[in-house]
Amino acid sequence: NKLDGSVRFYQDSLILAPTILSSKSSLLLLEKWLQSKARHLISERTHYWSEQMELPFNGMAFKQQKTRWGSCS
């Protein structure tokens, strides 16, 4: 399910331009854009620290969690 549109910065504003004008499509477009930016930043930092610490980096995965994670039972 591909969502088309664009997201960009203009001066101090974030401009959303979905191809379908609705609150839901705007929200989905923003989420997709934020996830893309986060993946890029986290990947960049992980590679940097992997090299700094001389530890191998094998990859990463991002998931849409529906329940709590990281809790001890």
Side-chain angles (χ1 to χ4, degrees):
N1 187 359
K2 185 178 176 190
L3 181 64
D4 293 322
S6 66
V7 179
R8 65 184 172 91
F9 284 105
Y10 178 72
Q11 295 177 350
D12 291 334
S13 299
L14 186 62
I15 309 297
L16 298 175
T19 55
I20 300 170
L21 296 178
S22 74
S23 298
K24 185 176 181 178
S25 64
S26 295
L27 180 60
L28 291 172
L29 180 62
L30 180 58
E31 286 178 358
K32 181 179 173 183
W33 183 80
L34 288 170
Q35 289 170 1
S36 171
K37 294 297 179 187
R39 279 185 177 91
H40 176 76
L41 180 63
I42 292 169
S43 176
E44 197 174 69
R45 299 310 301 161
T46 303
H47 283 288
Y48 170 81
W49 284 108
S50 174
E51 290 175 6
Q52 293 296 313
M53 299 173 70
E54 297 180 1
L55 295 171
F57 172 67
N58 297 324
M60 68 177 79
F62 295 88
K63 298 180 180 181
Q64 295 289 328
Q65 295 299 117
K66 303 280 186 209
T67 59
R68 282 180 48 180
W69 56 273
S71 62
C72 297
S73 51

